């Protein structure tokens, strides 16, 4: 988080050596890595088998961390992923665009780090089983 913040908001009096678009893209990569690490840590605490498949951990987050946290996580992760990828026919992300994601990632890190499992969410559905003989 600190490295991303330093890329997006250089200290007064410093002359950045990287172009603004490159700094924004690098900061987006760092922010997405922080979010991925927080998700991994969350799932290791809640149910370790969920750390193996990235798609499932995002889909099931709603059942464990609540709808709001899951929605914010999906939206932020998608926006950061889009900012991370280089596309020859598009402009790089603006630093202000990625900087707007800083508070959201900080809030998600707190929500995922402080939540000890099912926090006010609907419990997960019972496992499907076949008919009992």
């Amino acid at each position: 988080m600190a490295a991303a913040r330093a890329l997006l908001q250089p200290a007064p009096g410093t002359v950045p050596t990287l172009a603004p678009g490159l700094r924004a893209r690098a900061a987006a990569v760092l922010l997405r890595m922080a979010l991925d690490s927080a998700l991994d840590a969350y799932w290791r605490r809640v149910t370790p088998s969920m750390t193996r498949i990235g798609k499932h951990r995002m889909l099931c987050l709603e059942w464990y961390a609540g709808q709001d946290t899951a929605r914010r996580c999906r939206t932020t992760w998608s926006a950061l992923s889009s900012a991370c990828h280089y596309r020859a026919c598009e402009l790089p992300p603006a630093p202000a665009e990625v900087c707007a994601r800083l508070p959201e990632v900080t809030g998600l890190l707190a929500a995922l780090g402080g939540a000890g499992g099912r926090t006010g969410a609907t419990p997960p559905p019972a496992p499907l089983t076949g008919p009992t003989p």
Side-chain angles (χ1 to χ4, degrees):
M1 290 295 298
R5 191 178 313 279
L7 281 169
L8 293 170
Q9 302 165 342
T14 61
V15 178
T17 56
L18 300 174
L22 187 57
R23 287 185 291 126
R25 184 166 282 131
V29 169
L30 292 171
L31 290 173
R32 195 180 82 177
M33 286 173 56
L35 189 55
D36 281 335
S37 294
L39 280 167
D40 283 342
Y42 176 81
W43 286 117
R44 271 194 300 277
R45 248 187 358 266
V46 175
T47 176
S49 62
M50 289 299 284
T51 58
R52 288 180 271 184
I53 303 172
K55 186 177 182 180
H56 293 155
R57 64 186 190 160
M58 200 67 85
L59 291 171
C60 295
L61 191 61
E62 180 178 331
W63 292 100
Y64 289 87
Q67 287 182 337
D68 184 54
T69 301
R71 180 192 49 76
R72 288 173 40 218
C73 196
R74 280 190 307 269
T75 303
T76 303
W77 193 91
S78 294
L80 291 172
S81 290
S82 179
C84 289
H85 289 88
Y86 174 79
R87 293 172 190 89
C89 60
E90 292 181 15
L91 292 172
E97 179 185 341
V98 178
C99 194
R101 298 291 172 184
L102 273 170
E104 186 66 22
V105 172
T106 302
L108 284 168
L109 294 182
L112 293 172
R118 298 179 188 109
T119 55
T122 310
L128 299 175
T129 57
T132 316

